[in-house]
Amino acid sequence: MLRPRHIPTTVYLDASLRMAFRFALLAAVLAVVLAALRALFALPTDPALAVAVFLALGAVAAPLSVSGLRKQRRVPLAAASTGAGALFSFAWAALFCAAFVLWLEHFRDAPAGLLEYAAAVVLAGGIGALLSILPSPFVARRRGL
């Protein structure tokens, strides 16, 4: 049975949310480990590291999911679905980068000017779009996808 070459945005969103949830669990485990190290051994660990890890991994959740779905369904590079996935990944990575810059600005006292903010968001979005085009093995084979 041939699979359709077009991948709807809802499928991209579903796969990206599943991967972001896995990354959130990973960040939660990291937060617990850091809290335990701080409580048991009085190590100077920063629990905010878990937030930074989640936002960094969350930014690549959509690009990895999109590229995995494209590889799984054998969607060619010149397909319209590739462009839609790259645009989705650009917006996803830019959103997570914006959240990271806001988090740094408000909770870590690292002020960012508008130009630095825009440059970071556009660069993160561009990297997300590029990662979505490259083939990735990070989405497991499942029925119905």
Side-chain angles (χ1 to χ4, degrees):
M1 180 175 175
L2 292 175
R3 294 180 183 208
R5 297 290 176 136
H6 175 69
I7 303 172
T9 308
T10 55
V11 174
Y12 286 147
L13 182 63
D14 182 47
S16 300
L17 289 175
R18 275 190 270 124
M19 188 169 285
F21 180 71
R22 290 180 199 144
F23 288 155
L25 289 177
L26 182 67
V29 167
L30 178 66
V32 169
V33 167
L34 289 175
L37 287 174
R38 187 177 205 146
L40 295 175
F41 303 111
L43 292 176
T45 59
D46 192 3
L49 179 65
V51 175
V53 166
F54 168 69
L55 290 173
L57 288 175
V60 296
L64 293 178
S65 297
V66 167
S67 65
L69 286 171
R70 281 188 53 253
K71 181 180 177 188
Q72 179 184 9
R73 292 190 180 191
R74 296 184 181 124
V75 175
L77 188 60
S81 186
T82 301
L87 185 62
F88 176 77
S89 296
F90 181 91
W92 180 280
L95 180 70
F96 270 87
C97 181
F100 184 70
V101 170
L102 284 174
W103 179 79
L104 284 175
E105 203 170 352
H106 291 291
F107 295 108
R108 293 289 161 199
D109 296 326
L114 184 59
L115 187 59
E116 292 99 5
Y117 186 77
V121 168
V122 168
L123 181 64
I127 290 170
L130 179 66
L131 285 176
S132 72
I133 293 171
L134 301 173
S136 170
F138 289 109
V139 174
R141 293 191 177 267
R142 293 181 48 178
R143 288 185 170 266
L145 283 181

mmCIF file of all heavy atoms in Angstrom, residues 13-60:
data_model
loop_
_atom_site.group_PDB
_atom_site.id
_atom_site.type_symbol
_atom_site.label_atom_id
_atom_site.label_comp_id
_atom_site.label_asym_id
_atom_site.label_seq_id
_atom_site.Cartn_x
_atom_site.Cartn_y
_atom_site.Cartn_z
ATOM 1 N N LEU A 13 2.413 18.460 13.971
ATOM 2 C CA LEU A 13 2.197 18.964 15.322
ATOM 3 C C LEU A 13 2.109 17.830 16.334
ATOM 4 O O LEU A 13 2.692 17.899 17.416
ATOM 5 C CB LEU A 13 0.936 19.831 15.367
ATOM 6 C CG LEU A 13 0.604 20.460 16.708
ATOM 7 C CD1 LEU A 13 1.692 21.431 17.130
ATOM 8 C CD2 LEU A 13 -0.737 21.171 16.636
ATOM 9 N N ASP A 14 1.394 16.766 15.976
ATOM 10 C CA ASP A 14 1.251 15.623 16.872
ATOM 11 C C ASP A 14 2.603 14.976 17.176
ATOM 12 O O ASP A 14 2.940 14.721 18.333
ATOM 13 C CB ASP A 14 0.292 14.599 16.263
ATOM 14 C CG ASP A 14 0.062 13.409 17.166
ATOM 15 O OD1 ASP A 14 -0.191 13.613 18.373
ATOM 16 O OD2 ASP A 14 0.145 12.266 16.665
ATOM 17 N N ALA A 15 3.387 14.739 16.146
ATOM 18 C CA ALA A 15 4.707 14.122 16.340
ATOM 19 C C ALA A 15 5.630 15.047 17.132
ATOM 20 O O ALA A 15 6.395 14.586 17.984
ATOM 21 C CB ALA A 15 5.326 13.774 14.995
ATOM 22 N N SER A 16 5.546 16.343 16.881
ATOM 23 C CA SER A 16 6.397 17.301 17.591
ATOM 24 C C SER A 16 6.019 17.391 19.058
ATOM 25 O O SER A 16 6.894 17.462 19.929
ATOM 26 C CB SER A 16 6.284 18.683 16.946
ATOM 27 O OG SER A 16 6.685 18.627 15.612
ATOM 28 N N LEU A 17 4.728 17.372 19.358
ATOM 29 C CA LEU A 17 4.288 17.417 20.752
ATOM 30 C C LEU A 17 4.695 16.151 21.501
ATOM 31 O O LEU A 17 5.060 16.223 22.683
ATOM 32 C CB LEU A 17 2.780 17.635 20.834
ATOM 33 C CG LEU A 17 2.303 19.027 20.446
ATOM 34 C CD1 LEU A 17 0.781 19.089 20.438
ATOM 35 C CD2 LEU A 17 2.879 20.080 21.379
ATOM 36 N N ARG A 18 4.625 14.997 20.825
ATOM 37 C CA ARG A 18 5.075 13.759 21.472
ATOM 38 C C ARG A 18 6.556 13.817 21.810
ATOM 39 O O ARG A 18 6.974 13.428 22.897
ATOM 40 C CB ARG A 18 4.780 12.549 20.572
ATOM 41 C CG ARG A 18 3.375 12.021 20.730
ATOM 42 C CD ARG A 18 3.180 10.703 20.017
ATOM 43 N NE ARG A 18 2.736 10.988 18.655
ATOM 44 C CZ ARG A 18 3.350 10.557 17.567
ATOM 45 N NH1 ARG A 18 4.399 9.788 17.649
ATOM 46 N NH2 ARG A 18 2.886 10.862 16.379
ATOM 47 N N MET A 19 7.362 14.304 20.879
ATOM 48 C CA MET A 19 8.795 14.386 21.143
ATOM 49 C C MET A 19 9.091 15.447 22.201
ATOM 50 O O MET A 19 9.955 15.252 23.062
ATOM 51 C CB MET A 19 9.572 14.674 19.870
ATOM 52 C CG MET A 19 11.069 14.560 20.079
ATOM 53 S SD MET A 19 12.020 14.578 18.572
ATOM 54 C CE MET A 19 11.707 12.944 17.955
ATOM 55 N N ALA A 20 8.380 16.574 22.176
ATOM 56 C CA ALA A 20 8.578 17.617 23.189
ATOM 57 C C ALA A 20 8.196 17.096 24.574
ATOM 58 O O ALA A 20 8.831 17.447 25.575
ATOM 59 C CB ALA A 20 7.768 18.858 22.840
ATOM 60 N N PHE A 21 7.177 16.244 24.642
ATOM 61 C CA PHE A 21 6.795 15.646 25.923
ATOM 62 C C PHE A 21 7.906 14.740 26.440
ATOM 63 O O PHE A 21 8.225 14.752 27.641
ATOM 64 C CB PHE A 21 5.483 14.860 25.772
ATOM 65 C CG PHE A 21 5.027 14.227 27.053
ATOM 66 C CD1 PHE A 21 4.531 14.999 28.086
ATOM 67 C CD2 PHE A 21 5.109 12.854 27.218
ATOM 68 C CE1 PHE A 21 4.125 14.412 29.275
ATOM 69 C CE2 PHE A 21 4.700 12.259 28.403
ATOM 70 C CZ PHE A 21 4.199 13.037 29.436
ATOM 71 N N ARG A 22 8.523 13.976 25.560
ATOM 72 C CA ARG A 22 9.659 13.132 25.976
ATOM 73 C C ARG A 22 10.810 13.989 26.485
ATOM 74 O O ARG A 22 11.466 13.652 27.479
ATOM 75 C CB ARG A 22 10.139 12.274 24.809
ATOM 76 C CG ARG A 22 9.173 11.198 24.419
ATOM 77 C CD ARG A 22 9.720 10.393 23.259
ATOM 78 N NE ARG A 22 8.635 9.689 22.610
ATOM 79 C CZ ARG A 22 8.546 9.481 21.322
ATOM 80 N NH1 ARG A 22 9.512 9.899 20.518
ATOM 81 N NH2 ARG A 22 7.530 8.834 20.806
ATOM 82 N N PHE A 23 11.067 15.096 25.810
ATOM 83 C CA PHE A 23 12.122 15.991 26.249
ATOM 84 C C PHE A 23 11.770 16.651 27.582
ATOM 85 O O PHE A 23 12.641 16.905 28.407
ATOM 86 C CB PHE A 23 12.421 17.049 25.189
ATOM 87 C CG PHE A 23 13.137 16.516 23.978
ATOM 88 C CD1 PHE A 23 13.030 17.153 22.763
ATOM 89 C CD2 PHE A 23 13.927 15.390 24.048
ATOM 90 C CE1 PHE A 23 13.700 16.693 21.650
ATOM 91 C CE2 PHE A 23 14.603 14.895 22.934
ATOM 92 C CZ PHE A 23 14.485 15.561 21.735
ATOM 93 N N ALA A 24 10.486 16.937 27.792
ATOM 94 C CA ALA A 24 10.056 17.506 29.072
ATOM 95 C C ALA A 24 10.271 16.500 30.202
ATOM 96 O O ALA A 24 10.682 16.878 31.304
ATOM 97 C CB ALA A 24 8.593 17.923 29.004
ATOM 98 N N LEU A 25 10.002 15.233 29.934
ATOM 99 C CA LEU A 25 10.271 14.208 30.942
ATOM 100 C C LEU A 25 11.754 14.113 31.245
ATOM 101 O O LEU A 25 12.157 13.962 32.408
ATOM 102 C CB LEU A 25 9.733 12.852 30.482
ATOM 103 C CG LEU A 25 8.224 12.700 30.459
ATOM 104 C CD1 LEU A 25 7.838 11.332 29.915
ATOM 105 C CD2 LEU A 25 7.641 12.901 31.836
ATOM 106 N N LEU A 26 12.578 14.209 30.226
ATOM 107 C CA LEU A 26 14.026 14.191 30.415
ATOM 108 C C LEU A 26 14.477 15.384 31.266
ATOM 109 O O LEU A 26 15.307 15.237 32.168
ATOM 110 C CB LEU A 26 14.728 14.193 29.063
ATOM 111 C CG LEU A 26 16.249 14.139 29.071
ATOM 112 C CD1 LEU A 26 16.724 12.795 29.609
ATOM 113 C CD2 LEU A 26 16.775 14.372 27.679
ATOM 114 N N ALA A 27 13.921 16.553 30.999
ATOM 115 C CA ALA A 27 14.261 17.741 31.784
ATOM 116 C C ALA A 27 13.766 17.609 33.216
ATOM 117 O O ALA A 27 14.432 18.065 34.150
ATOM 118 C CB ALA A 27 13.678 18.990 31.126
ATOM 119 N N ALA A 28 12.616 16.970 33.417
ATOM 120 C CA ALA A 28 12.108 16.755 34.779
ATOM 121 C C ALA A 28 13.013 15.806 35.555
ATOM 122 O O ALA A 28 13.289 16.030 36.737
ATOM 123 C CB ALA A 28 10.685 16.214 34.724
ATOM 124 N N VAL A 29 13.487 14.765 34.905
ATOM 125 C CA VAL A 29 14.423 13.847 35.559
ATOM 126 C C VAL A 29 15.710 14.587 35.913
ATOM 127 O O VAL A 29 16.259 14.414 37.018
ATOM 128 C CB VAL A 29 14.706 12.623 34.657
ATOM 129 C CG1 VAL A 29 15.884 11.821 35.160
ATOM 130 C CG2 VAL A 29 13.475 11.755 34.545
ATOM 131 N N LEU A 30 16.183 15.433 35.011
ATOM 132 C CA LEU A 30 17.376 16.227 35.286
ATOM 133 C C LEU A 30 17.149 17.152 36.475
ATOM 134 O O LEU A 30 18.031 17.302 37.333
ATOM 135 C CB LEU A 30 17.786 17.030 34.054
ATOM 136 C CG LEU A 30 18.995 17.943 34.234
ATOM 137 C CD1 LEU A 30 20.260 17.124 34.485
ATOM 138 C CD2 LEU A 30 19.149 18.841 33.032
ATOM 139 N N ALA A 31 15.974 17.761 36.562
ATOM 140 C CA ALA A 31 15.669 18.644 37.688
ATOM 141 C C ALA A 31 15.668 17.885 39.010
ATOM 142 O O ALA A 31 16.174 18.379 40.023
ATOM 143 C CB ALA A 31 14.322 19.332 37.464
ATOM 144 N N VAL A 32 15.127 16.673 39.005
ATOM 145 C CA VAL A 32 15.112 15.857 40.221
ATOM 146 C C VAL A 32 16.532 15.462 40.618
ATOM 147 O O VAL A 32 16.898 15.509 41.798
ATOM 148 C CB VAL A 32 14.204 14.615 40.027
ATOM 149 C CG1 VAL A 32 14.385 13.615 41.154
ATOM 150 C CG2 VAL A 32 12.755 15.040 39.911
ATOM 151 N N VAL A 33 17.335 15.078 39.649
ATOM 152 C CA VAL A 33 18.731 14.709 39.937
ATOM 153 C C VAL A 33 19.497 15.904 40.494
ATOM 154 O O VAL A 33 20.244 15.771 41.473
ATOM 155 C CB VAL A 33 19.414 14.145 38.672
ATOM 156 C CG1 VAL A 33 20.920 14.058 38.845
ATOM 157 C CG2 VAL A 33 18.832 12.791 38.321
ATOM 158 N N LEU A 34 19.302 17.084 39.883
ATOM 159 C CA LEU A 34 19.985 18.277 40.375
ATOM 160 C C LEU A 34 19.532 18.638 41.785
ATOM 161 O O LEU A 34 20.348 19.020 42.631
ATOM 162 C CB LEU A 34 19.762 19.450 39.423
ATOM 163 C CG LEU A 34 20.473 19.376 38.083
ATOM 164 C CD1 LEU A 34 20.053 20.544 37.197
ATOM 165 C CD2 LEU A 34 21.970 19.371 38.266
ATOM 166 N N ALA A 35 18.239 18.513 42.051
ATOM 167 C CA ALA A 35 17.729 18.801 43.397
ATOM 168 C C ALA A 35 18.277 17.798 44.407
ATOM 169 O O ALA A 35 18.611 18.164 45.542
ATOM 170 C CB ALA A 35 16.206 18.789 43.389
ATOM 171 N N ALA A 36 18.377 16.535 44.014
ATOM 172 C CA ALA A 36 18.924 15.519 44.913
ATOM 173 C C ALA A 36 20.405 15.782 45.188
ATOM 174 O O ALA A 36 20.855 15.648 46.339
ATOM 175 C CB ALA A 36 18.734 14.128 44.312
ATOM 176 N N LEU A 37 21.169 16.137 44.174
ATOM 177 C CA LEU A 37 22.583 16.463 44.376
ATOM 178 C C LEU A 37 22.753 17.659 45.301
ATOM 179 O O LEU A 37 23.650 17.682 46.147
ATOM 180 C CB LEU A 37 23.269 16.738 43.039
ATOM 181 C CG LEU A 37 23.542 15.530 42.147
ATOM 182 C CD1 LEU A 37 24.088 15.987 40.805
ATOM 183 C CD2 LEU A 37 24.511 14.583 42.829
ATOM 184 N N ARG A 38 21.868 18.618 45.132
ATOM 185 C CA ARG A 38 21.936 19.806 45.978
ATOM 186 C C ARG A 38 21.572 19.484 47.421
ATOM 187 O O ARG A 38 22.202 19.975 48.360
ATOM 188 C CB ARG A 38 21.010 20.881 45.419
ATOM 189 C CG ARG A 38 21.124 22.188 46.112
ATOM 190 C CD ARG A 38 20.230 23.226 45.452
ATOM 191 N NE ARG A 38 20.811 24.518 45.742
ATOM 192 C CZ ARG A 38 20.791 25.531 44.941
ATOM 193 N NH1 ARG A 38 20.220 25.425 43.778
ATOM 194 N NH2 ARG A 38 21.324 26.668 45.284
ATOM 195 N N ALA A 39 20.556 18.655 47.622
ATOM 196 C CA ALA A 39 20.106 18.320 48.968
ATOM 197 C C ALA A 39 21.047 17.347 49.673
ATOM 198 O O ALA A 39 21.342 17.504 50.863
ATOM 199 C CB ALA A 39 18.704 17.730 48.914
ATOM 200 N N LEU A 40 21.507 16.335 48.974
ATOM 201 C CA LEU A 40 22.321 15.301 49.608
ATOM 202 C C LEU A 40 23.774 15.708 49.803
ATOM 203 O O LEU A 40 24.374 15.416 50.842
ATOM 204 C CB LEU A 40 22.259 14.010 48.795
ATOM 205 C CG LEU A 40 20.904 13.319 48.724
ATOM 206 C CD1 LEU A 40 20.959 12.136 47.792
ATOM 207 C CD2 LEU A 40 20.458 12.907 50.114
ATOM 208 N N PHE A 41 24.351 16.347 48.824
ATOM 209 C CA PHE A 41 25.786 16.618 48.882
ATOM 210 C C PHE A 41 26.126 18.102 48.968
ATOM 211 O O PHE A 41 27.292 18.468 48.925
ATOM 212 C CB PHE A 41 26.479 16.011 47.658
ATOM 213 C CG PHE A 41 26.258 14.543 47.526
ATOM 214 C CD1 PHE A 41 25.487 14.041 46.494
ATOM 215 C CD2 PHE A 41 26.798 13.661 48.447
ATOM 216 C CE1 PHE A 41 25.277 12.685 46.362
ATOM 217 C CE2 PHE A 41 26.590 12.299 48.330
ATOM 218 C CZ PHE A 41 25.832 11.804 47.290
ATOM 219 N N ALA A 42 25.120 18.946 49.050
ATOM 220 C CA ALA A 42 25.296 20.400 49.137
ATOM 221 C C ALA A 42 26.149 20.931 47.986
ATOM 222 O O ALA A 42 26.977 21.819 48.153
ATOM 223 C CB ALA A 42 25.888 20.800 50.483
ATOM 224 N N LEU A 43 25.927 20.353 46.798
ATOM 225 C CA LEU A 43 26.646 20.821 45.613
ATOM 226 C C LEU A 43 25.984 22.088 45.083
ATOM 227 O O LEU A 43 24.769 22.246 45.155
ATOM 228 C CB LEU A 43 26.640 19.744 44.529
ATOM 229 C CG LEU A 43 27.438 18.487 44.830
ATOM 230 C CD1 LEU A 43 27.258 17.481 43.710
ATOM 231 C CD2 LEU A 43 28.903 18.809 45.000
ATOM 232 N N PRO A 44 26.757 22.977 44.537
ATOM 233 C CA PRO A 44 26.174 24.216 44.011
ATOM 234 C C PRO A 44 25.555 24.013 42.630
ATOM 235 O O PRO A 44 26.014 24.559 41.631
ATOM 236 C CB PRO A 44 27.369 25.164 43.953
ATOM 237 C CG PRO A 44 28.534 24.265 43.741
ATOM 238 C CD PRO A 44 28.214 22.989 44.468
ATOM 239 N N THR A 45 24.526 23.194 42.550
ATOM 240 C CA THR A 45 23.849 22.963 41.270
ATOM 241 C C THR A 45 22.748 23.989 41.086
ATOM 242 O O THR A 45 22.150 24.457 42.044
ATOM 243 C CB THR A 45 23.236 21.552 41.217
ATOM 244 O OG1 THR A 45 22.314 21.417 42.287
ATOM 245 C CG2 THR A 45 24.315 20.488 41.320
ATOM 246 N N ASP A 46 22.490 24.328 39.863
ATOM 247 C CA ASP A 46 21.464 25.309 39.552
ATOM 248 C C ASP A 46 20.251 24.587 38.972
ATOM 249 O O ASP A 46 20.334 24.024 37.877
ATOM 250 C CB ASP A 46 22.011 26.324 38.548
ATOM 251 C CG ASP A 46 21.110 27.527 38.384
ATOM 252 O OD1 ASP A 46 20.085 27.605 39.090
ATOM 253 O OD2 ASP A 46 21.433 28.385 37.561
ATOM 254 N N PRO A 47 19.111 24.581 39.675
ATOM 255 C CA PRO A 47 17.936 23.884 39.140
ATOM 256 C C PRO A 47 17.386 24.528 37.871
ATOM 257 O O PRO A 47 16.629 23.908 37.141
ATOM 258 C CB PRO A 47 16.926 23.943 40.277
ATOM 259 C CG PRO A 47 17.422 24.957 41.226
ATOM 260 C CD PRO A 47 18.879 25.139 40.995
ATOM 261 N N ALA A 48 17.778 25.754 37.595
ATOM 262 C CA ALA A 48 17.323 26.412 36.369
ATOM 263 C C ALA A 48 17.943 25.781 35.125
ATOM 264 O O ALA A 48 17.491 26.022 34.018
ATOM 265 C CB ALA A 48 17.661 27.893 36.428
ATOM 266 N N LEU A 49 18.955 24.950 35.333
ATOM 267 C CA LEU A 49 19.558 24.241 34.206
ATOM 268 C C LEU A 49 18.538 23.339 33.517
ATOM 269 O O LEU A 49 18.565 23.178 32.297
ATOM 270 C CB LEU A 49 20.759 23.421 34.687
ATOM 271 C CG LEU A 49 21.491 22.602 33.639
ATOM 272 C CD1 LEU A 49 22.137 23.519 32.619
ATOM 273 C CD2 LEU A 49 22.524 21.720 34.297
ATOM 274 N N ALA A 50 17.612 22.770 34.282
ATOM 275 C CA ALA A 50 16.583 21.908 33.695
ATOM 276 C C ALA A 50 15.673 22.695 32.752
ATOM 277 O O ALA A 50 15.264 22.175 31.707
ATOM 278 C CB ALA A 50 15.767 21.245 34.799
ATOM 279 N N VAL A 51 15.357 23.931 33.103
ATOM 280 C CA VAL A 51 14.540 24.769 32.214
ATOM 281 C C VAL A 51 15.291 25.062 30.925
ATOM 282 O O VAL A 51 14.725 24.971 29.824
ATOM 283 C CB VAL A 51 14.143 26.080 32.924
ATOM 284 C CG1 VAL A 51 13.409 27.011 31.973
ATOM 285 C CG2 VAL A 51 13.298 25.800 34.145
ATOM 286 N N ALA A 52 16.560 25.378 31.051
ATOM 287 C CA ALA A 52 17.372 25.661 29.862
ATOM 288 C C ALA A 52 17.486 24.426 28.971
ATOM 289 O O ALA A 52 17.403 24.523 27.743
ATOM 290 C CB ALA A 52 18.750 26.148 30.273
ATOM 291 N N VAL A 53 17.650 23.253 29.589
ATOM 292 C CA VAL A 53 17.738 22.009 28.813
ATOM 293 C C VAL A 53 16.426 21.730 28.098
ATOM 294 O O VAL A 53 16.410 21.357 26.915
ATOM 295 C CB VAL A 53 18.143 20.829 29.724
ATOM 296 C CG1 VAL A 53 17.918 19.500 29.044
ATOM 297 C CG2 VAL A 53 19.583 20.964 30.141
ATOM 298 N N PHE A 54 15.297 21.922 28.791
ATOM 299 C CA PHE A 54 14.002 21.688 28.144
ATOM 300 C C PHE A 54 13.794 22.631 26.965
ATOM 301 O O PHE A 54 13.348 22.209 25.892
ATOM 302 C CB PHE A 54 12.847 21.836 29.123
ATOM 303 C CG PHE A 54 11.518 21.886 28.434
ATOM 304 C CD1 PHE A 54 11.015 20.756 27.803
ATOM 305 C CD2 PHE A 54 10.792 23.057 28.375
ATOM 306 C CE1 PHE A 54 9.798 20.803 27.131
ATOM 307 C CE2 PHE A 54 9.579 23.102 27.715
ATOM 308 C CZ PHE A 54 9.078 21.977 27.090
ATOM 309 N N LEU A 55 14.110 23.909 27.143
ATOM 310 C CA LEU A 55 13.901 24.855 26.048
ATOM 311 C C LEU A 55 14.836 24.585 24.876
ATOM 312 O O LEU A 55 14.450 24.719 23.716
ATOM 313 C CB LEU A 55 14.054 26.285 26.554
ATOM 314 C CG LEU A 55 12.936 26.755 27.488
ATOM 315 C CD1 LEU A 55 13.275 28.111 28.076
ATOM 316 C CD2 LEU A 55 11.602 26.790 26.774
ATOM 317 N N ALA A 56 16.049 24.163 25.171
ATOM 318 C CA ALA A 56 16.990 23.847 24.085
ATOM 319 C C ALA A 56 16.559 22.590 23.341
ATOM 320 O O ALA A 56 16.566 22.549 22.104
ATOM 321 C CB ALA A 56 18.396 23.679 24.648
ATOM 322 N N LEU A 57 16.178 21.554 24.082
ATOM 323 C CA LEU A 57 15.721 20.325 23.421
ATOM 324 C C LEU A 57 14.363 20.518 22.758
ATOM 325 O O LEU A 57 14.097 19.940 21.701
ATOM 326 C CB LEU A 57 15.649 19.180 24.435
ATOM 327 C CG LEU A 57 16.973 18.625 24.932
ATOM 328 C CD1 LEU A 57 16.725 17.582 26.014
ATOM 329 C CD2 LEU A 57 17.777 18.047 23.803
ATOM 330 N N GLY A 58 13.514 21.324 23.371
ATOM 331 C CA GLY A 58 12.205 21.590 22.784
ATOM 332 C C GLY A 58 12.300 22.287 21.447
ATOM 333 O O GLY A 58 11.472 22.078 20.554
ATOM 334 N N ALA A 59 13.330 23.103 21.273
ATOM 335 C CA ALA A 59 13.501 23.818 20.012
ATOM 336 C C ALA A 59 13.790 22.872 18.854
ATOM 337 O O ALA A 59 13.447 23.170 17.710
ATOM 338 C CB ALA A 59 14.619 24.853 20.139
ATOM 339 N N VAL A 60 14.409 21.730 19.132
ATOM 340 C CA VAL A 60 14.716 20.789 18.059
ATOM 341 C C VAL A 60 13.713 19.644 17.968
ATOM 342 O O VAL A 60 13.875 18.760 17.126
ATOM 343 C CB VAL A 60 16.151 20.225 18.187
ATOM 344 C CG1 VAL A 60 17.173 21.315 18.028
ATOM 345 C CG2 VAL A 60 16.337 19.464 19.474
#
